[in-house]
Amino acid sequence: MQRLGANGRQLQPHSAVSRPPVVSSRKAPRTLHILQAGAGGFGKSTKKKVDTSGGLVLPKEGKRVRIADLSDEGSNSKQAADGAPPGFPTDWIDLKVKANDVPIGKNTKPIELATGRTLMLYKFENMVFISDANSTAYQFPMTDARVYREGSSIAAEVPLDGTVYDLATGAVLKWCPKDNPMRSLLGTLKSAEKSTPLKVYPVHITKDGNIWTKLL
């Protein structure tokens, strides 16, 4: 049977009536751009997702920090962030002081604990030491001790009797030297006694600059 078109003409075999194109009402998917910290700074658009698999997060301050540094407990945060020594902070005391609290022109600062006990803090160059507040020969305050290099040691000299201690170990480097008339008398009084080391204590400084010590 022959097929006729609307004008009465015969249609050719295998031909098809053209149809208008179908337009989809669906919109193309949108790409979600995520802000990521990187060399380009914050606010740079990227199609990559933020990778937290390496233990890094992006807090509100805009700095990437390790997850281990974030904690509800301040002590845990200090321990993770600072590579703290064993027992920190349980067995340690926060002296509530920073190294730059030592007055300009001095190397010492007395620290009074809540118990009423006083320790002496020494700052020399970029080093910090802590000891008992008084010397061992005559219990003289170390507040005005002269702090200097003695060979490979950092030493503190007692103003009264001239005894010199190694601040790292507390060892006596000089015991009541008789180097002036007053010290000659004091040295004579102590000549029969064995030299007594100065009690020193370990020091730990946290990332925020606070100085902690442990009473052994």
Side-chain angles (χ1 to χ4, degrees), residues 54-169:
L56 298 177
V57 295
L58 186 64
K60 294 180 180 179
E61 291 79 5
K63 296 181 180 179
R64 304 190 81 179
V65 298
R66 297 190 181 278
I67 292 175
D69 293 351
L70 303 179
S71 172
D72 293 333
E73 297 292 336
S75 60
N76 292 339
S77 177
K78 290 186 177 68
Q79 187 169 8
D82 304 325
F88 181 86
T90 305
D91 301 328
W92 291 68
I93 300 173
D94 185 357
L95 298 180
K96 309 296 183 183
V97 66
K98 300 178 186 293
N100 57 11
D101 290 334
V102 176
I104 297 176
K106 289 186 66 70
N107 295 108
T108 62
K109 180 179 178 63
I111 307 295
E112 185 174 355
L113 304 181
T115 59
R117 180 177 178 179
T118 302
L119 302 177
M120 191 62 60
L121 182 149
Y122 309 84
K123 179 185 177 184
F124 184 79
E125 296 177 353
N126 63 338
M127 294 170 283
V128 173
F129 305 91
I130 296 174
S131 78
D132 280 342
N134 299 327
S135 66
T136 57
Y138 288 97
Q139 296 297 303
F140 193 80
M142 297 293 288
T143 306
D144 295 319
R146 181 170 74 95
V147 182
Y148 63 101
R149 286 189 179 275
E150 177 73 20
S152 59
S153 302
I154 306 302
E157 178 183 332
V158 183
L160 177 65
D161 55 72
T163 296
V164 178
Y165 303 102
D166 182 335
L167 287 179
T169 64

Side-chain angles (χ1 to χ4, degrees), residues 148 185 200 209:
Y148 63 101
L185 173 61
V200 295

